[in-house]
């Protein structure tokens, strides 16, 4: 029973106009997430692009920009306080953060909140780098991607850590025995809304990892955000799946994967890879291997 | 009023229970741990209707308190030393957000070298983070000050977080008789969260919190926060007065003993001031006019109260159970600032004592008086505790000066 376009909630919970770059994926994603959750939602926002671009009253729901790494702890306090006061019913507690705030500096705090079984929806917008500080690598930066801290030069070809060892946040959440975790993409908004609606029905922690191609950081035309997001899925760089009480299911199967080159060539951060057949083959192998490993877990 | 035999951690936990805290979030660290264990027991036994957020770090402990505070809950945490340092980022966040969180701290040295014993380094390096800081000299004061902290933090003229510091082991673990108040009296002292503390995060009245503020407006907000902290001194004064009228116990920002006719006044924080009183009594018996001024409210700094307390003295000896490396003890500059414009500006000398938990005995205090009684003679900072080069410990020539052992 998937969400159809005509079922989409129509209430917009963001003011028109914001401080984001043209083509910002986080704004697209945040808009859909809020529409899915509705006005009875309190947003706790870790430091990062989203916290900055929503400043000056962009959200129409309560919005609390906290620190870079403590949003899961803050939401824990809110969750418990509302319970003591008997006011927990009917309110969604939504945490939004970037990949840096989630996979790197905030991982301990998130792990603690999941493990305690706090009731919240955690949405990570993964643009695969620290964009608020200008594009440094993060624990989710893909193999060989150029960032400001993994430049391309005589001694370096971009991000050195291989594809198989990228932090896999969905699996990290699942390893906690989380009741619901999923990957999603801003390129597939109906799927994203469905994941969020599902998470909202769960009592307890839920985690949604939203792939968010960033034109500014990746060196793309702002008009290519959605296309890049869809190509990431079509090439198998991103697999959309959910894990419900431990049961895995691919939510958007891809019958025949396109070559990764189609995805990479949109992005200046991979220019040196696209220009070098050996590097390109290496990246393709890494993606194949990771893809196979994810699908193998579905069985 | 009944008398109990409690240690400092128990006194802090009982006061928090009587304050009817709704959310407690804390992380274990010696010598603070018991406070939260006591509170866990009260919740388990149904004596306290609160939720315990059993967080994975101190950073998260204070963050959870911030979240709870944002929806209008009364919150409490406890920490010290490494844990307090881990919270440091959140300390500023809490005061900037004006969350009236109360934190109990069993002072402990900062590593390394490792020491679990008391000194004031941990709270003093965090003195400028916009929190009220109160220092107890006895277990009774721990109990009283935690109640006063809630009351003042939540006052509409203040709305800032507050720390109550007491020396690890010396006060946290040693038991003393404590005169306790009934739950009813505490309820009168501390009514339920006042209306100005209604939830900031409310879907019926959406607001944006923790926003960016541009430089043009920043000083205005900083000034307001600074003024609110300054103002809390008068609010604390009112709270102390109300407390006295209900309990008969006197509390003040600066507590003086024998200062009226004193030529030498010893100034400092915490339990060592009890020892100082003891030493002063002995020295008086020998004909030396020594007084003691215990600084109980350290932030905001009670400048006028202190100047008044030492008005007649020739020499003021500031005991610091801490060191601002490369400068002097951290309380010292506050005292010198308070006295610089005093009509009869006394000599003010600084003694670094009891760091890393080194015992402060009446002898330590007497040694300070002996070194300082002649007033300023070219040197202002003394380390009577530290062994010099004769014992093979390297020292900084400008700082060490006394023939001590
Ligand atoms: C403790 C701390 N360290 C560093 C920073 C600086 N900082 C702010 S946002 C950010 C990166 C954010 O990256 P990410 O979480 O991936 O979100 P994005 O901006 O890419 O959406 C950094 C390093 C900070 N605010 N706090
Ligand atoms: S840098 Fe990227 S994620 Fe950040 S605001 Fe711009 S487009 Fe959005």
């Amino acid at each position: 029973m998937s969400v159809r376009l005509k079922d989409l909630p129509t209430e917009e919970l963001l003011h028109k106009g914001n401080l984001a770059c043209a083509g910002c994926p986080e704004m697209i994603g945040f808009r859909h997430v809020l529409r899915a959750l509705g006005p009875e939602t309190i947003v706790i926002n870790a430091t990062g692009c989203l916290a900055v671009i929503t400043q000056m009253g962009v959200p129409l729901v309560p919005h609390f920009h906290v620190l870079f790494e403590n949003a899961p702890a803050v939401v824990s306090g809110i969750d418990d306080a509302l319970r003591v006061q008997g006011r927990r019913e009917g309110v969604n507690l939504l945490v939004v953060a970037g990949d840096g705030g989630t996979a790197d500096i905030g991982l301990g705090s998130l792990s603690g909140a999941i493990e305690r079984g706090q009731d919240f929806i955690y949405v990570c917008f993964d643009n695969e780098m620290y964009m608020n500080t200008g594009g440094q690598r993060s624990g989710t930066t893909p193999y060989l991607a150029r960032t400001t801290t993994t430049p391309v030069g005589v001694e370096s070809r971009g991000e050195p850590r291989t594809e198989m060892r990228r932090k896999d946040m969905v699996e990290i959440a699942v390893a906690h025995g989380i009741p619901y975790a999923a990957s999603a993409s801003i390129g597939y908004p109906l799927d994203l809304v469905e994941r969020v609606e599902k998470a909202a029905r769960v009592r307890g922690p839920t985690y949604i990892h939203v792939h968010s191609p960033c034109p500014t950081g990746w060196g793309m035309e702002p008009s290519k955000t959605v296309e890049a997001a869809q190509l990431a899925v079509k090439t198998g760089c991103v697999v959309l799946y959910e894990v419900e009480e431990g049961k895995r299911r691919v939510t958007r199967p891809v019958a025949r994967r396109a070559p990764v080159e189609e995805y990479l060539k949109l992005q200046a951060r991979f220019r040196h890879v696209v220009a070098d057949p050996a590097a390109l083959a290496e990246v393709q192998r890494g993606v194949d291997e990771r893809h196979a490993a994810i699908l193998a877990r579905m069985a | 009023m009944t008398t109990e035999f409690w240690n400092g951690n128990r006194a802090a936990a009982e006061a928090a229970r009587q304050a009817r805290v709704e959310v407690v979030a804390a992380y274990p660290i010696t010598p603070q741990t018991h406070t939260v264990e006591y509170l866990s027991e009260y919740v388990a036994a149904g004596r306290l209707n609160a939720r315990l957020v059993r967080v994975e770090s101190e950073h998260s402990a204070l963050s959870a308190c911030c979240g709870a505070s944002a929806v209008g809950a009364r919150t409490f945490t406890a920490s010290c030393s490494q844990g307090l340092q881990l919270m440091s980022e959140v300390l500023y966040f809490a005061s900037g957000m004006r969350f009236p969180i109360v934190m109990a701290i069993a002072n402990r040295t900062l590593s390394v070298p490792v020491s679990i014993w008391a000194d004031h380094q941990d709270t003093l390096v965090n003195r400028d983070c916009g929190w009220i800081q109160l220092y107890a000299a006895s277990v009774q004061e721990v109990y009283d000050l935690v109640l006063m902290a809630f009351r003042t933090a939540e006052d509409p003229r203040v709305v800032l977080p507050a720390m109550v510091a007491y020396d690890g082991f010396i006060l946290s673990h040693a038991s003393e008789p404590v005169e306790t108040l009934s739950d009813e009296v505490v309820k009168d002292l501390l009514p339920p969260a006042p209306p100005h503390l209604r939830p900031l995060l409310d879907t019926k009245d959406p607001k944006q919190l923790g926003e960016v503020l541009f430089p043009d407006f920043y000083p205005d907000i900083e000034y307001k926060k600074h003024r609110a902290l300054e103002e809390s001194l008068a609010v604390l004064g009112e709270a102390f007065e109300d407390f006295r009228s209900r309990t008969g116990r006197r509390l003040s920002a600066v507590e003086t003993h024998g200062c009226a006719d004193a030529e030498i006044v010893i100034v400092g924080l915490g339990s060592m001031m009890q020892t100082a009183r003891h030493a002063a009594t002995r020295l008086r018996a020998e004909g030396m006019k020594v007084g003691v001024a215990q600084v109980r409210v350290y932030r905001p700094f009670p400048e006028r109260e202190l100047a008044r307390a030492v008005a007649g003295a020739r020499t003021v000896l500031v005991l610091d159970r801490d060191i601002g490396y490369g400068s002097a003890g951290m309380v010292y500059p506050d005292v010198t600032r308070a006295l610089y414009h005093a009509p009869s500006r006394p000599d003010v000398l600084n003694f670094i004592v009891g760091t890393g938990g080194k015992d402060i005995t009446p002898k330590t205090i007497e040694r300070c008086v002996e070194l300082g009684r002649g007033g300023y003679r070219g040197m202002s900072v003394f380390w009577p505790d530290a062994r010099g080069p004769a014992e093979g410990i390297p020292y900084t020539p400008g700082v060490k000066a006394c023939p001590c052992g």
Side-chain angles (χ1 to χ4, degrees):
Chain A
M1 197 191 51
S2 53
V3 174
R4 289 167 306 174
L5 198 55
K6 71 179 181 57
D7 305 329
L8 269 190
T10 51
E11 190 174 0
E12 293 288 354
L13 292 168
L14 293 175
H15 266 302
K16 292 191 178 67
N18 58 62
L19 302 171
C21 313
C24 176
E26 300 195 1
M27 224 39 180
I28 298 173
F30 190 39
R31 177 178 165 218
H32 290 306
V33 170
L34 280 186
R35 274 168 60 156
L37 291 177
E40 291 302 314
T41 302
I42 293 174
V43 184
I44 297 89
N45 197 159
T47 307
C49 275
L50 191 66
V52 175
I53 64 186
T54 51
Q55 291 291 300
M56 303 200 231
V58 175
L60 299 173
V61 292
H63 180 256
F64 189 10
H65 165 225
V66 293
L67 297 168
F68 192 13
E69 68 284 54
N70 72 348
V74 173
V75 83
S76 303
I78 296 175
D79 179 29
D80 278 8
L82 291 178
R83 283 188 214 207
V84 177
Q85 299 174 343
R87 299 192 289 131
R88 184 66 188 85
E89 279 308 301
V91 185
N92 298 305
L93 296 180
L94 170 70
V95 177
V96 283
D99 46 294
T102 304
D104 295 343
I105 199 166
L107 187 57
S109 164
L110 174 58
S111 172
I114 298 176
E115 180 263 338
R116 288 189 298 275
Q118 310 276 177
D119 188 359
F120 64 105
I121 303 155
Y122 193 105
V123 173
C124 170
F125 293 109
D126 183 6
N127 57 14
E128 301 178 345
M129 45 172 57
Y130 297 172
M131 276 318 296
N132 191 42
T133 39
Q136 299 77 36
R137 61 91 65 187
S138 82
T140 67
T141 299
Y143 181 49
L144 295 188
R146 180 215 307 264
T147 72
T148 60
T149 47
T150 56
V152 176
V154 186
E155 301 289 340
S156 148
R157 301 190 296 160
E159 171 57 48
R161 186 255 301 107
T162 58
E163 204 55 15
M164 283 305 280
R165 290 195 294 108
R166 270 168 77 177
K167 287 197 200 177
D168 186 334
M169 280 309 304
V170 173
E171 292 304 323
I172 289 172
V174 169
H176 287 75
I178 195 169
Y180 186 79
S183 55
S185 163
I186 60 101
Y188 297 93
L190 295 181
D191 179 81
L192 170 60
V193 165
E194 196 177 325
R195 301 282 80 74
V196 174
E197 286 181 345
K198 219 162 181 175
R201 287 195 293 270
V202 172
R203 290 283 171 93
T206 54
Y207 180 86
I208 303 174
H209 195 83
V210 183
H211 191 239
S212 308
C214 160
T216 311
W218 297 11
M220 299 188 304
E221 283 299 316
S223 61
K224 299 287 186 196
T225 303
V226 171
E227 190 181 329
Q230 294 179 345
L231 274 170
V233 173
K234 288 175 185 161
T235 54
C237 290
V238 168
V239 181
L240 300 188
Y241 70 105
E242 67 179 5
V243 188
E244 215 175 338
E245 295 295 355
K247 278 213 295 291
R248 289 179 160 76
R249 179 178 79 90
V250 175
T251 51
R252 195 152 190 111
V254 177
R256 267 196 60 237
R257 283 194 293 134
V260 288
E261 185 180 3
E262 286 184 27
Y263 171 53
L264 302 194
K265 71 184 184 200
L266 290 182
Q267 311 169 35
R269 64 176 177 159
F270 285 118
R271 195 172 289 147
H272 60 294
V273 173
V274 174
D276 173 357
L280 188 59
E282 225 185 311
V283 169
Q284 180 72 61
R285 267 200 307 280
V287 170
D288 291 348
E289 200 185 345
R290 194 166 196 266
H291 184 261
I294 294 172
L295 289 197
R297 280 196 291 264
M298 297 299 150
Chain B
M1 217 178 299
T2 57
T3 303
E4 303 284 350
F5 197 59
W6 284 343
N7 62 40
N9 286 338
R10 177 80 191 269
E14 287 283 349
R17 180 190 65 75
Q18 291 189 302
R20 305 170 314 285
V21 293
E22 295 168 288
V23 172
V24 176
Y27 194 77
I29 182 165
T30 303
Q32 180 55 73
T33 310
H34 295 129
T35 309
V36 191
E37 291 178 340
Y38 290 129
L39 284 163
S40 307
E41 283 168 20
Y42 304 154
V43 172
R47 294 181 65 207
L48 174 64
N49 179 26
R51 296 217 29 129
L52 295 152
V53 195
R54 297 169 182 96
V55 284
E56 75 299 328
S57 78
E58 287 87 352
H59 195 284
S60 287
L62 189 52
S63 298
C65 289
C66 288
S69 212
V71 289
R74 191 173 274 167
T75 63
F76 179 77
T77 183
S79 192
C80 65
S81 187
Q82 310 309 116
L84 188 57
Q85 284 300 83
L86 191 57
M87 282 183 184
S88 165
E89 182 193 23
V90 196
L91 292 175
Y92 283 81
F93 182 77
S95 64
M97 288 302 309
R98 310 291 291 268
F99 291 142
I101 299 160
V102 172
M103 170 152 53
I105 294 162
N107 285 104
R108 164 181 159 182
T109 306
L110 285 168
S111 293
V112 53
V114 178
S115 163
I116 56 169
W117 296 282
D119 72 24
H120 298 155
Q121 197 83 12
D122 57 350
T123 42
L124 286 177
V125 292
N126 290 303
R127 71 196 158 167
D128 294 328
C129 59
W131 288 53
I132 294 168
Q133 277 201 349
L134 310 175
Y135 286 78
S138 65
V139 176
Q140 181 72 61
E141 281 186 33
V142 174
Y143 177 76
D144 295 350
L145 290 179
V146 169
L147 297 176
M148 295 296 93
F150 276 110
R151 158 107 171 215
T152 309
E154 290 179 359
D155 189 283
R157 292 161 290 177
V158 180
V159 199
L160 282 169
M163 298 177 195
V164 177
Y166 47 96
D167 293 311
F169 293 108
I170 299 166
L171 294 177
S172 68
H173 282 58
S175 293
E176 293 179 353
V178 178
E179 282 185 16
T180 64
L181 307 180
S182 69
D183 289 356
E184 285 62 45
V185 171
V186 174
K187 214 172 237 171
D188 285 345
L189 270 172
L190 271 178
H196 65 277
L197 298 177
R198 70 187 188 290
L200 290 173
L201 291 173
D202 182 358
T203 53
K204 300 288 172 285
D205 179 19
K207 289 189 192 69
Q208 190 163 43
L209 310 181
E211 273 196 276
V212 172
L213 185 65
F214 291 102
D216 260 0
F217 303 98
Y218 214 96
D220 307 338
I221 297 295
E222 285 285 86
Y223 182 67
K224 270 185 137 168
K225 178 171 159 184
H226 172 68
R227 284 292 304 146
L229 188 52
E230 284 190 330
E231 197 118 328
S232 70
L233 193 58
V235 177
L236 270 163
E238 288 171 24
F240 290 163
E241 185 47 36
D242 185 27
F243 186 73
R244 189 199 56 74
S245 72
R246 289 170 199 274
T247 67
R249 287 206 291 280
R250 274 177 203 283
L251 289 166
S252 52
V254 177
E255 179 158 332
T256 56
H257 288 265
C259 288
D261 67 337
E263 289 172 1
I264 298 171
V265 175
I266 302 167
V267 176
L269 315 172
S271 67
M272 67 179 170
M273 299 319 284
Q274 298 246 33
T275 315
R277 274 183 229 165
H278 192 74
T281 310
R282 261 190 7 206
L283 292 167
R284 271 195 180 259
E286 291 171 16
M288 230 183 287
K289 289 186 175 163
V290 180
V292 174
Q294 175 203 339
V295 177
R296 188 177 282 126
V297 178
Y298 180 60
R299 281 292 178 273
F301 193 72
E303 195 179 327
R304 282 194 202 92
E305 289 75 357
L306 186 75
R308 219 177 296 130
V310 305
R314 257 190 308 112
T315 308
V316 172
L317 312 180
V318 182
L319 306 193
D320 260 293
R321 197 164 198 159
D322 65 273
I323 175 66
Y325 301 110
S327 177
M330 287 183 255
V331 179
Y332 181 63
D334 280 308
V335 177
T336 47
R337 182 179 72 89
L339 301 182
Y340 187 80
H341 298 289
S344 61
R345 193 199 302 165
D347 283 358
V348 188
L349 302 176
N350 193 199
F351 296 84
I352 311 300
V353 290
T355 55
K358 176 116 179 171
D359 262 349
I360 298 176
T361 64
K363 271 211 154 39
T364 318
I365 311 282
E366 284 168 24
R367 180 86 182 114
C368 296
V369 173
E370 188 187 321
L371 289 164
R373 61 191 292 194
Y376 182 73
R377 283 171 301 175
M379 211 183 65
S380 51
V381 184
F382 299 81
W383 287 69
D385 279 346
R387 276 178 277 263
E391 283 80 12
I393 298 172
Y395 72 105
T396 315
V399 177
K400 185 261 172 191
C402 48
C404 47

